[in-house]
Amino acid sequence: MATTMADTSKAEVSKEPEGPPILVPEGFSLYTENNAHILISSKDEAFLNPVQEFNRDMSVACIRVWSEEVDREKEDKFRKAEERRAKRLEQAAWEKPKAQGEEETSHSADTTGNVSTMDLDTVENTVKPRVYHPHKLVLLEALSATGLRSIRYAKEIPLVRYRQRLITIRDCCDERNVEINGLGPSEEETTAPDSQRTVKLNPGKVRVHEDDACALMYNHRTEKARVDVVDLDPYGTAAPFIDAAVQAINIGGLLCVTCTDMSVLATTNYSEKCFSNYGGMPVKAEYSHETALRLVLNTISTSASRYGRYIEPLLSLSIDFYVRIFVRIHAAPVEVKRAASKTSIYYVCSGCASFHEQKFGRVVERTNEQSGAVNLQYKTAAGPPVNSACPECGYSMHVAGPMWSGPLHNSDFVAKVVEHVDRNAKNYGTSTRMKGMLTVAQEELDVPFYFTPGKVAGTFHCSTPALGDVASALLNAGYKVSRSHASPGSLKTTASRDVIHDVFRAWAQRHPVRMDRISETAPAAKLLSKEIKITHQLTPTPSRTPIDFTKHPESVTRASDVRIVRYQQNPAPNWGPGSRAGGKRKRAKSDEGESDGR
């Protein structure tokens, strides 16, 4: 399971304890991750990032849990269909003699009212139960470098289709990596009815296509050619491939997307590039990594809507230097109409990072008094009650979006992935980090954007309160609080931004601020000049202040029976996204922590 890389140019390395040895040619090194092995050439254009093992582990776990859920759904439908079929056939078996003019007593019952043995045998032979066969998925990795990800999918996900179209990868994957893992095409002998031996080709679990990624996916957009899972893991943006990927997926299928262009998504340095790639404007604020997720989700949602489809985000993660998203693609005209109500633009203050949400649409439910039926009406949303100046600090408001304003995760799905990782921790080299991040995502509130007390305290020019103090103050005021997976030390809350500012005003009263050091035009000058208005959320008593920092039992810093590593430290020095692979690019040493987002 441990990740190893050895320069064994002349030695034979055992693939598995019981498997045949792998001959490593001169100029190559063998890389092992879990039970997958690949040969890497020093002159190979495709390069590997060992740090991305977390991405691959998370992908294997999510696709495996999703495939098991889909198989369970299909089995339930099969069982119910079989019950209906059995009832229809049984009823037809009883009614057929009546249609032929036979007497009712001749086939239904004797004089004692019991069904005859002959009739029971007839019914039993007619209603033969069919056997359910597990649903085997077809997976397409449209962008591949070394092929390590696809090899792991083939080896570690049980519900994959064998001896047929299974995992299709394209790009510059070396077919030798497929063969040394025993996943490539092979010849097998079969015996014909006339006892003559015939040889046919077994296509293997992994098929390699050297073709344009979009062309390959567009070739799979017909109903019979669609695949169950599409994985997009490019260097940089996945935007050019999303439209083709959405069409290539079966209804109910899974789309996995990675985008490593966080310099475009999570800051306003290249806002024009963000708009051209994702159709929205980015945000420069402490919660920019969450807005990056929502911009990508909106791109997927709008692409799906064009073809009568809608998305269900299962898990959306901002990890290190990239975002990784898992969404199901469904088809339902009613849900497609709801897309406008899950799409918003935001007005973000450049001074205090306050924001105002403006949805594109709204859904109105009207119940018929006579029939009780619920009718849905889709309306445009009212205009924003904001001016060009922020009502909190007076600074200018900037437009961001449009972006996805619906849920980022499906908590039930995330809980099943956490359970799966707990049961199979030995199969994932990064299981500790996986459990930590998944647990935070599972507990995350379904509200837009988080804040960090340190950033808000910097705006107020006051000392930074402890995370537990801020969380307790909001909980004592009647609001909900959770962490955010996207940033250490962050909080999400159902409280509005002005309530958060009230908490910091109360904190500043306890820990006075040197007003002589604050410019009159700074955001802090206006923020501190306002009165606290949060008293309506509490019933003040002589022993209870309007803003109560007393530790709340449900605070995010409460003790836990299990120690969880929620946020990862940098795994290696000088790590991060590396340069794009080129023809003359040499493979960097593994301790340089090179990354390509794959």
Side-chain angles (χ1 to χ4, degrees):
M1 181 175 60
T3 301
T4 58
M5 181 180 292
D7 187 6
T8 54
S9 58
K10 299 180 180 180
E12 289 187 354
V13 182
S14 178
K15 180 171 65 172
E16 291 178 356
E18 68 280 0
I22 299 175
L23 179 63
V24 181
E26 186 175 356
F28 286 80
S29 60
L30 183 71
Y31 180 88
T32 300
E33 188 172 287
N34 282 17
N35 61 348
H37 315 272
I38 58 172
L39 295 172
I40 303 177
S41 170
S42 58
K43 299 180 180 180
D44 198 345
E45 291 184 353
F47 57 96
L48 178 78
N49 178 18
V51 175
Q52 284 291 77
E53 181 182 1
F54 175 74
N55 187 322
R56 293 185 284 269
D57 281 351
M58 188 71 75
S59 300
V60 170
C62 289
I63 296 175
R64 183 168 178 174
V65 171
W66 170 84
S67 66
E68 293 171 354
E69 286 300 303
V70 170
D71 182 60
R72 192 175 296 110
E73 292 174 3
K74 291 184 177 294
E75 185 175 5
D76 290 342
K77 291 181 180 179
F78 176 83
R79 302 299 179 197
K80 293 177 181 177
E82 279 299 290
E83 291 176 2
R84 294 192 298 268
R85 173 177 171 270
K87 290 180 180 179
R88 289 196 305 267
L89 293 176
E90 184 176 353
Q91 186 68 22
W94 287 111
E95 294 179 352
K96 184 177 180 180
K98 296 181 183 180
Q100 295 175 350
E102 296 183 16
E103 294 293 332
E104 183 177 353
T105 56
S106 66
H107 69 273
S108 60
D110 57 19
T111 55
T112 61
N114 297 322
V115 180
S116 66
T117 304
M118 182 177 297
D119 290 333
L120 285 176
D121 292 339
T122 302
V123 174
E124 184 177 354
N125 293 331
T126 304
V127 188
K128 290 184 179 180
R130 293 180 294 187
V131 179
Y132 174 76
H133 298 284
H135 175 70
K136 300 292 186 177
L137 64 89
V138 178
L139 193 151
L140 190 155
E141 186 186 3
L143 302 161
S144 175
T146 60
L148 175 60
R149 185 182 297 265
S150 289
I151 292 170
R152 287 195 57 184
Y153 287 162
K155 284 194 162 188
E156 299 178 35
I157 301 176
L159 292 175
V160 289
R161 190 172 300 178
Y162 184 65
R163 294 186 179 179
Q164 291 188 34
R165 211 161 34 87
L166 222 157
I167 298 180
T168 303
I169 57 178
R170 66 76 62 190
D171 211 346
C172 47
C173 172
D174 194 332
E175 293 191 17
R176 284 176 297 185
N177 290 332
V178 177
E179 294 173 0
I180 65 174
N181 287 275
L183 303 171
S186 61
E187 291 184 347
E188 61 177 11
E189 291 186 354
T190 60
T191 303
D194 57 357
S195 299
Q196 293 180 354
R197 291 189 305 170
T198 59
V199 178
K200 68 177 182 179
L201 183 66
N202 169 19
K205 277 198 171 186
V206 178
R207 297 176 62 185
V208 180
H209 293 257
E210 293 194 12
D211 193 3
D212 178 77
C214 287
L216 179 63
M217 288 186 287
Y218 279 129
N219 286 335
H220 287 82
R221 63 182 174 180
T222 58
E223 185 174 355
K224 293 183 178 180
R226 288 174 187 158
V227 299
D228 298 293
V229 182
V230 173
D231 192 332
L232 300 177
D233 194 6
Y235 182 94
T237 178
F241 313 102
I242 289 177
D243 183 82
V246 166
Q247 297 185 66
I249 297 178
N250 278 321
I251 302 302
L254 183 68
L255 174 61
C256 315
V257 178
T258 299
C259 292
T260 63
D261 56 336
M262 296 300 282
S263 60
V264 173
L265 282 166
T267 182
T268 56
N269 291 342
Y270 306 99
S271 57
E272 75 289 349
K273 184 66 174 176
C274 183
F275 184 80
S276 62
N277 283 347
Y278 303 100
M281 300 300 287
V283 172
K284 186 178 182 180
E286 56 186 315
Y287 42 80
S288 59
H289 282 260
E290 183 177 329
T291 61
L293 285 170
R294 296 184 180 278
L295 284 166
V296 178
L297 283 171
N298 181 65
T299 303
I300 303 173
S301 176
T302 52
S303 296
S305 297
R306 296 188 186 100
Y307 309 104
R309 300 183 172 192
Y310 71 97
I311 67 170
E312 177 195 359
L314 299 181
L315 181 63
S316 307
L317 298 176
S318 175
I319 309 168
D320 303 331
F321 55 87
Y322 61 93
V323 295
R324 181 65 169 167
I325 293 173
F326 303 88
V327 298
R328 286 192 75 174
I329 306 295
H330 300 284
V334 173
E335 293 298 328
V336 173
K337 294 178 181 179
R338 290 181 180 269
S341 62
K342 297 179 182 179
T343 306
S344 301
I345 57 174
Y346 291 89
Y347 297 88
V348 182
C349 176
S350 58
C352 65
S354 298
F355 63 90
H356 174 80
E357 181 183 46
Q358 173 60 53
K359 291 185 177 296
F360 274 78
R362 57 192 177 95
V363 180
V364 179
E365 296 184 358
R366 299 189 184 278
T367 304
N368 190 303
E369 297 180 356
Q370 297 180 350
S371 63
V374 178
N375 298 320
L376 301 179
Q377 297 181 351
Y378 304 93
K379 306 286 187 180
T380 57
V386 295
N387 299 318
S388 59
C390 173
E392 288 294 305
C393 69
Y395 268 54
S396 59
M397 303 284 283
H398 293 267
V399 176
M403 62 184 70
W404 176 261
S405 57
L408 293 177
H409 320 290
N410 182 315
S411 58
D412 293 336
F413 174 81
V414 179
K416 292 172 183 175
V417 179
V418 173
E419 183 181 353
H420 166 77
V421 175
D422 281 334
R423 293 196 314 266
N424 303 274
K426 63 181 181 180
N427 296 331
Y428 300 104
T430 61
S431 59
T432 302
R433 185 186 181 190
M434 290 173 68
K435 287 188 287 187
M437 179 165 282
L438 288 169
T439 301
V440 177
Q442 180 187 357
E443 298 173 351
E444 207 170 280
L445 288 174
D446 181 19
V447 293
F449 309 147
Y450 55 86
F451 72 95
T452 52
K455 290 285 187 180
V456 181
T459 304
F460 274 82
H461 289 259
C462 65
S463 61
T464 302
L467 190 69
D469 291 338
V470 178
S472 296
L474 292 169
L475 288 166
N476 290 329
Y479 298 100
K480 295 180 181 179
V481 171
S482 75
R483 291 178 182 267
S484 171
H485 78 276
S487 177
S490 58
L491 291 174
K492 301 191 85 171
T493 178
T494 55
S496 58
R497 200 72 178 193
D498 58 335
V499 173
I500 297 172
H501 289 167
D502 276 347
V503 171
F504 278 84
R505 290 186 188 100
W507 180 262
Q509 290 178 0
R510 295 188 176 193
H511 305 80
V513 178
R514 290 283 302 270
M515 298 301 297
D516 57 322
R517 296 183 177 180
I518 299 177
S519 170
E520 295 181 357
T521 59
K526 187 170 182 178
L527 290 172
L528 290 169
S529 65
K530 290 187 173 183
E531 296 181 357
I532 299 175
K533 301 179 181 179
I534 200 175
T535 53
H536 68 281
Q537 293 292 334
L538 298 169
T539 304
T541 63
S543 61
R544 191 176 187 186
T545 59
I547 304 294
D548 188 1
F549 289 97
T550 304
K551 186 173 182 179
H552 194 279
E554 297 181 5
S555 174
V556 293
T557 57
R558 64 185 183 276
S560 176
D561 295 335
V562 181
R563 182 174 178 82
I564 297 177
V565 181
R566 292 181 172 86
Y567 304 101
Q568 177 81 351
Q569 300 297 321
N570 288 355
N574 304 319
W575 76 289
S579 302
R580 185 185 297 272
K584 299 181 180 180
R585 191 179 189 280
K586 294 183 179 180
R587 182 177 59 85
K589 295 181 180 180
S590 60
D591 60 358
E592 292 179 357
E594 204 171 43
S595 170
D596 67 343
R598 297 171 186 150

